Structures are given as C-alpha cells and as structure tokens.
Amino acid sequence: MSALDRRQFLVGSAAAAGTLAVHAPAVRAQKRGGTLRVIPHADLKVIDPIWTTAYITRNFGYMIYDTLFATDANLQIKPQMVEKYTVSPDQMRYRFTLRDGLKFHDGQPVTAEDCVVSLQRWGKKDPLGKLLMAATGKLQAVDRKTFVLELAEPFGLVLDALGKPSSNVPFIMPARLAATSENEQIKEAIGSGPYRFVKGEWQPGHQVVFERNPDYVPRNEPPSGAAGGKRVYLDRVVWRYIPDAATAANALEAGEVDYYEFPAIDFMPRFEKNPNLTVFVTDPRGNQGWLRPNHLHPPFNTKKARQALLYLVNQEMVLQGTIGQPKYYRTCPAYFMCGPGLPYESAVGAPAKPDLERARQLLREAGYDGRPVVLLDPTDYPSIHGATLVIRELLAQAGVKVDLQAMDWSTLISRRAKKEPPEQGGWNLFVTWWISADVMTPAVNAGISGACDKAWFGWPCSEAMEKLRAEWVRALDPARRKRLAEEIQKLAYDEVPYVLWGQFVQPTVYRKTVRGVLNFACAVFWNIAVEA
C-alpha cells in the first residue's frame, strides 16, 4: 500500500494529529521512580485481549504485552518486536526476524513459535485477522528468532494487520497461553511488555497494579504512538476504579489521582478552567456510538425488527442526552464514520430522518408480541449509560416493553458473550462505542461482519456481507474500494447489524505534574514521569 492508503486505512491523514497539542517531550532523560495513579474508564475483570474487544482489556494488554509492529503518531506502521523483515517481489512471502533481548515476564525468551501461535489465535477472533488468515497459506517458525508468512492469495494489508492499533491488537503471548482456544479466556497474564501485572495486588472493583519490567529492552528510537522506544520511568502504575464521576473529578482536582482517562463531559468546563490540569483529546477523529441487537433471539432475529431500530434512534436526541455539549459531538449516517480524511464517509442507504410511527409499523410487521426486551445498562460508564437511558425511552415510545438491567461495564463485557435466550441470562440489546481506528474501513469494522457464530457479539449472519468484505480487501483500486464500501453500507442499512447513535470525541484529563503523555488513541503509560 502507498503511505496515503495506509493512513486512510488506519485513522485518516497524519495532518489531523498536528491539530492537537504535542505532549511527547524530547527524548532526554526524565525523572525515574514514583507511581502514576490512574482512573481508568472501567473496572478490569477480563485479562484476555484476544477473547474480548473491550477497551479496558486492550489497555491492559498494552501495559504488559508487546507487538510485532505498531502504529506511530504519524499513523505509519513500524517494526516493534521485529528487528528486520523482508518481502518477496510479488509480495506473497514475508520473513520476520525478532530483535535481541525479548523476554517474557516469567524469564523465558520470546521465540518465533510464540509469535506464530499468538497470531494464529488472534486470527481466529479479530475481523482483519480472519481475513489475513483466510489469505494465508503458511505461517511457521524457521528457527527460534525467525518465522515466515506465505500468502495463498494476494493480501495488501499484511503489515497493517500485524500493526493494528486497537481491538483486537495482535499481542504476543507465550505459546503455551496462546494455545488456549480463542473461545476460552487465558488464565495467566504473562507478556514481554514494558510493565508486569502484579496479580497479588489486583482487586477487581477497586484497583489494578503494574510495576516496571526491569528486563524490558526498548527500541533505540524516540517514542511515537504505540511505536518507538517504550521507556519506562515509573516504578508503578495503579489503576483505581472510581465509578462515581463526581467522586473521581474531586479526586483528580485534589491531587489524589494523576490521570483521568474518560471523565464525564459535564465536568469539562470545570476542568478546562483549572490551571493544574491539562485537557486533551486523544482521537480527534472521534468515536462511533452503536446500539447492538442480538440477531439470535426474538424480536431482533427478524430484519424488520432491526430496521425499526433505525427509525427509532434519533442521533441528535441521544447525543444531547449523552454528551450534551455540541462541540464534542456530531450526527453521522456513515457506517465508516464522518470527517476530514475519512475515505468512506457516505449517507447511502440511511433513512432520511427518525420516524417513530415507521418504527412501530415495522415492529408490528416483524410480529413483535410485547415480550420484554432485555437492554443491558452499564451504570458506571457515563457515556454508555446516558445513551442507554435515552434509547430506553425511545424504545418505550415505539411500544417496546423494556427490561433495563443495571450492571457495571465489566459485567456487561462478560454478559454480552452469552448466546442463551434473554430469559436465561442472555440479552437483546446493548449500547457501546468504538474509536475511529476500529470502524473506519470494512476490514477493521467488527460490527458489520456477517460471520454468524464467529461474528462479534450479536452474531449477524450474512453471506452477502462476507463476500463484499472479502472483495473490498482484495480490491487495489481506490475508486473500486469506495464503491464496495458504499455497497457494504447499503447492505448494512438493509440488514442492520447495528444502529448508529452518533459520533463524539472523548477528552482525557491529567494533572500538570504528569510529563510525557503520548498522543495515541489508546491509553498508554510508557514515556511518562510524575513530578513531586
């Protein structure tokens, strides 16, 4: 791929990154030692970043694992664990050699076999990974430091897949752990990354503790996004789960914590006026809000019932009730997001406007019988909780009997994996959102996959969608890719794998005693120092 194509594939043009304040300092030595106290956006209960796409688990993964390639701040794919690689002239054979000094937290060296088994497991879960593995003829270790990937058919996104910045990230694990079925969670969290997980201090519902990995050998390059030298100056990073937004805001302002990942938007005017705090947006492209129906069980196992949701969800109403401040949100009809530099923005197939009467009619035609619809509500996640409450009211207005079930986000992450009927512990609907890097192309967008029981939670089944996605990946001409993306969106608006509730940006806030925060769409905690 050309550099421009790659930037479009990931998160748009690099120029957008230049509109943000630059937080990465020069590479000169920073103060060592100390503890960074972080309020994460959710409680950590799942430690397997391949089993789930949850961002809290992805962030956990970046703390303790490393990747073969990574995305830098200029949205370029750069080697990370890989020292060197070669590509055959026909781009059908890739040979990768690991760099020296890679060691897992249990003291064992990282081998090529670990990489192969890790990629195989990732490739059974991740949407882009599945497409890569379908095009792969051979993936095997040559020796302890070298492995090869030979394609069975052309696939222009090999390095982009290996350097994928967000869920699911192809983190490298020991082969003995990566051999776990992709449908089961790993039992240990052992990586080779810059921090080690202190399992003995993990208290679900309260805190997660990491300590500096003394054996980690960073690349001899400036840090940039998830790439470059991951230099660790801190002794410890402690995630403190504070679900009440007001309590969390007070703790940040009082200096009891240093970094607040996802504060409620209501507090932003107050934070912006505080001279002790820095407010910044990690992903100016924004986030895409989803209402995800369960395609396995009534009523949303019927297309007309899912189409009713399209007419029911009023994006402006949901965004006003959830985000509130217009400078942080926008309505958007595009399944692959709206905004400058996003190559697949389109309104094709979208309803002209919300229409509750049309929603009621479609529900009647779908045979909705008034049974309760289970809507999962993560009360500790302000943006999703707010959107869930607005959508509950819209469902009620359309004549749907809603069974709103409150829980924390980490419980929802486990609950959404259940395929049982709603009355047996399953679900009908839940609300979520994704960063731009995870939705902006047909290859990375997990929600449009129609792979049936192998699709993302909700399990849509569409042979036509899978055929179009495969065609998109094989297409080399940008104009053809654009046409295929519009065909995919048109089909999505007919089959409704999920419903858009808008686009928004999420600010992060930290105290000005924190130095070296990197611009990256995921929360990463290397390169950071804390002043006394």
Side-chain angles (χ1 to χ4, degrees):
M1 299 179 70
S2 69
L4 178 60
D5 288 338
R6 179 170 288 114
R7 288 197 293 270
Q8 289 178 336
F9 173 79
L10 288 168
V11 288
S13 69
T19 64
L20 292 176
V22 177
H23 299 280
V27 184
R28 64 181 180 271
Q30 297 204 62
K31 175 187 174 183
R32 291 186 176 274
T35 297
L36 181 74
R37 301 159 300 175
V38 177
I39 303 175
H41 69 271
D43 182 28
L44 179 75
K45 290 184 178 175
V46 177
I47 61 172
D48 187 341
I50 305 303
W51 184 83
T52 183
T53 53
Y55 287 162
I56 188 66
T57 306
R58 175 206 64 193
N59 293 355
F60 173 83
Y62 268 116
M63 295 294 287
I64 69 168
Y65 297 109
D66 215 342
T67 56
L68 297 170
F69 290 81
T71 303
D72 72 9
N74 293 318
L75 310 173
Q76 297 291 305
I77 302 296
K78 296 293 181 65
Q80 186 58 33
M81 298 173 74
V82 168
E83 177 65 31
K84 60 183 179 180
Y85 67 98
T86 59
V87 184
S88 64
D90 62 1
Q91 298 187 45
M92 295 293 286
R93 188 175 192 273
Y94 292 73
R95 182 182 178 95
F96 305 98
T97 301
L98 299 175
R99 60 190 179 94
D100 293 332
L102 301 180
K103 185 186 296 185
F104 287 116
H105 300 157
D106 61 2
Q108 296 300 308
V110 178
T111 68
E113 184 66 19
D114 297 313
C115 300
V116 167
V117 180
S118 294
L119 291 178
Q120 288 172 336
R121 184 171 188 256
W122 164 79
K124 294 175 183 177
K125 291 290 282 190
D126 180 73
L128 181 54
K130 291 176 184 178
L131 294 170
L132 172 59
M133 292 303 158
T136 297
K138 182 168 70 174
L139 176 62
Q140 67 179 34
V142 175
D143 55 39
R144 289 185 65 79
K145 288 183 60 178
T146 306
F147 66 99
V148 295
L149 186 154
E150 295 183 2
L151 295 172
E153 60 184 62
F155 189 87
L157 305 175
V158 172
L159 298 185
D160 303 270
L162 300 183
K164 189 171 184 279
S166 189
S167 296
N168 300 95
V169 179
F171 293 119
I172 300 304
M173 305 176 179
R176 63 181 178 84
L177 297 180
T180 304
S181 166
E182 74 278 9
N183 297 315
E184 298 177 15
Q185 295 184 43
I186 58 172
K187 302 298 191 295
E188 296 178 80
I190 296 176
S192 63
Y195 290 94
R196 299 189 299 201
F197 174 45
V198 185
K199 187 175 182 181
E201 296 187 54
W202 180 28
Q203 301 172 30
H206 177 52
Q207 73 172 13
V208 187
V209 178
F210 307 89
E211 62 184 14
R212 182 175 62 87
N213 174 14
D215 295 328
Y216 186 76
V217 179
R219 296 185 68 90
N220 190 26
E221 300 159 1
S224 180
K230 298 180 180 179
R231 294 175 176 83
V232 178
Y233 303 108
L234 301 163
D235 291 332
R236 287 160 64 91
V237 176
V238 178
W239 291 0
R240 293 183 176 170
Y241 175 59
I242 305 178
D244 181 74
T247 302
N250 290 337
L252 179 70
E253 291 181 316
E256 296 169 4
V257 294
D258 308 297
Y259 184 109
Y260 192 176
E261 186 186 4
F262 286 169
I265 300 296
D266 291 348
F267 291 95
M268 297 319 301
R270 171 172 141 187
F271 291 153
E272 289 166 351
K273 295 176 182 177
N274 190 321
N276 298 315
L277 302 178
T278 296
V279 177
F280 76 109
V281 174
T282 57
D283 186 1
R285 298 289 180 196
N287 309 302
Q288 184 183 80
W290 292 11
L291 173 63
R292 182 69 162 187
N294 190 328
H295 293 239
L296 299 182
H297 304 295
F300 303 115
N301 60 339
T302 62
K303 184 166 70 173
K304 286 190 174 181
R306 298 193 301 273
Q307 290 173 340
L309 297 174
L310 290 175
Y311 291 92
L312 179 151
V313 174
N314 182 320
Q315 287 195 19
E316 182 67 32
M317 187 178 296
V318 177
L319 289 165
Q320 283 182 355
T322 303
I323 308 302
Q325 298 185 49
K327 71 176 182 177
Y328 290 117
Y329 74 75
R330 65 175 295 178
T331 60
C332 173
Y335 265 80
F336 305 115
M337 296 192 67
C338 301
L342 290 162
Y344 305 114
E345 177 180 351
S346 173
V348 66
K353 60 181 181 180
D355 187 339
L356 274 175
E357 185 50 47
R358 176 65 174 149
R360 295 186 189 102
Q361 178 186 343
L362 285 166
L363 285 167
R364 288 193 295 268
E365 292 176 5
Y368 174 60
D369 57 6
R371 74 179 63 192
V373 167
V374 173
L375 174 61
L376 307 182
D377 178 22
T379 56
D380 63 335
Y381 206 143
S383 58
I384 297 180
H385 174 55
T388 300
L389 295 181
V390 176
I391 289 170
R392 177 191 63 178
E393 294 306 312
L394 293 171
L395 286 164
Q397 290 177 30
V400 176
K401 185 177 180 180
V402 180
D403 179 5
L404 188 71
Q405 297 194 9
M407 61 196 67
D408 59 49
W409 177 245
S410 291
T411 299
L412 188 150
I413 289 170
S414 297
R415 176 78 173 271
R416 70 187 182 185
K418 294 181 178 295
K419 293 183 178 180
E420 291 82 2
E423 61 272 15
Q424 297 177 22
W427 56 277
N428 293 113
L429 294 167
F430 73 90
V431 172
T432 189
W433 62 264
W434 295 75
I435 65 172
S436 60
D438 284 332
V439 295
M440 67 165 291
T441 78
V444 298
N445 190 315
I448 62 168
S449 170
C452 306
D453 63 327
K454 295 183 179 179
W456 196 71
F457 311 109
W459 309 284
C461 202
S462 172
E463 184 177 346
M465 182 64 80
E466 291 305 278
K467 181 180 178 182
L468 283 172
R469 291 178 66 238
E471 287 184 33
W472 187 91
V473 170
R474 288 194 295 267
L476 299 178
D477 176 50
R480 175 161 171 72
R481 280 192 168 181
K482 175 71 172 176
R483 289 193 298 271
L484 284 168
E486 291 202 341
E487 288 184 43
I488 289 169
Q489 177 163 302
K490 186 176 179 180
L491 181 60
Y493 268 113
D494 178 60
E495 297 188 343
V496 197
Y498 65 90
V499 178
L500 305 169
W501 56 262
Q503 195 166 305
F504 64 98
V505 295
Q506 173 63 61
T508 290
V509 184
Y510 58 86
R511 295 188 64 80
K512 290 187 176 178
T513 51
V514 177
R515 304 291 186 182
V517 176
L518 295 169
N519 275 324
F520 189 54
C522 313
V524 294
F525 296 106
W526 53 84
N527 199 59
I528 290 177
V530 179
E531 295 180 351

